[in-house]
Amino acid sequence: MTGIIALSTAILSMMAREGILKSCLDGQKEQYDYILIDCSPSLGIVTTNALVAADKLYIPLTAEALPLKGLTMLDDVVNEVKRRVNPELEVGGVFFTRFNNRKLNKEVVSMVQSRYGDKVFQTKIRENIAIAEMPLSGQTIFEYDPKSNGAADYWALSEEINVRERNR
């Protein structure tokens, strides 16, 4: 966390600051099949750098009212990045986290599906205590509790993403 804050503070005063991460990654792309950039749920300079560097954006979303409102702001930022800096950026998909199948969850899923259509993944990451506990262990969910619903759900999501990418 501290490193990210220091990085974002340092970036603020740099020229062409929105493209710093892209410049760093350009020479590395050939070495990897995928490069995943996990950003905090804020729309600051670090997230902007990630959007400028990315080809695809995968959006994790808690199926609740406030995250749904934040999705509108994210759409605006993505459209601005596409228009000004990275026309190749596209939404690869939206998936739901901390899903518990309540009425509110279902309503939000329906709203997001009407907006994003087939970009909404079928796999939902269920509400799961192992996912909440795992960060304290410093392990992945697959190491911390490989038999948990969380591990099963993230495995299913990765498979769904792979199938979509192969069928492109």
Side-chain angles (χ1 to χ4, degrees):
M1 183 78 94
T2 313
I4 292 172
I5 292 169
L7 175 63
S8 64
T9 304
I11 288 175
L12 288 175
S13 62
M14 299 174 94
M15 294 292 289
R17 62 185 177 253
E18 293 82 9
I20 291 171
L21 182 59
K22 181 180 180 354
S23 296
C24 292
L25 292 176
D26 278 345
Q28 308 295 314
K29 286 183 177 181
E30 295 78 34
Q31 298 175 37
Y32 301 96
D33 293 330
Y34 299 100
I35 298 174
L36 301 176
I37 306 167
D38 185 8
C39 297
S40 64
S42 67
L43 296 175
I45 190 67
V46 173
T47 302
T48 302
N49 258 266
L51 293 173
V52 170
D55 299 322
K56 284 200 180 136
L57 171 64
Y58 291 96
I59 305 169
L61 186 70
T62 304
E64 297 173 357
L66 290 178
L68 183 61
K69 285 185 177 189
L71 192 57
T72 301
M73 290 189 301
L74 180 61
D75 282 344
D76 293 342
V77 170
V78 167
N79 288 332
E80 189 69 10
V81 167
K82 283 180 72 161
R83 190 172 69 78
R84 291 184 181 265
V85 188
N86 183 1
E88 304 301 313
L89 179 63
E90 66 177 89
V91 173
V94 179
F95 63 95
F96 294 97
T97 62
R98 296 189 342 213
F99 192 81
N100 57 27
N101 218 20
R102 292 187 183 116
K103 182 181 177 188
L104 174 62
N105 285 174
K106 292 176 185 178
E107 288 176 10
V108 170
V109 167
S110 178
M111 293 169 145
V112 172
Q113 284 175 327
S114 68
R115 185 177 186 169
Y116 286 96
D118 62 357
K119 291 191 185 258
V120 177
F121 288 100
Q122 295 300 309
T123 303
K124 294 171 182 61
I125 311 304
R126 292 170 280 181
E127 200 167 46
N128 182 263
I129 192 65
I131 291 174
E133 295 170 346
M134 176 238 358
L136 292 175
S137 74
Q139 298 175 307
T140 69
I141 190 62
F142 305 106
E143 296 163 326
Y144 180 75
D145 191 349
K147 294 182 180 177
S148 68
N149 287 339
D153 293 346
Y154 273 109
W155 186 260
L157 177 65
S158 67
E159 290 294 315
E160 190 175 353
I161 291 170
N162 280 327
V163 167
R164 282 191 189 189
E165 287 299 313
R166 282 195 299 265
N167 292 333
R168 283 185 72 218

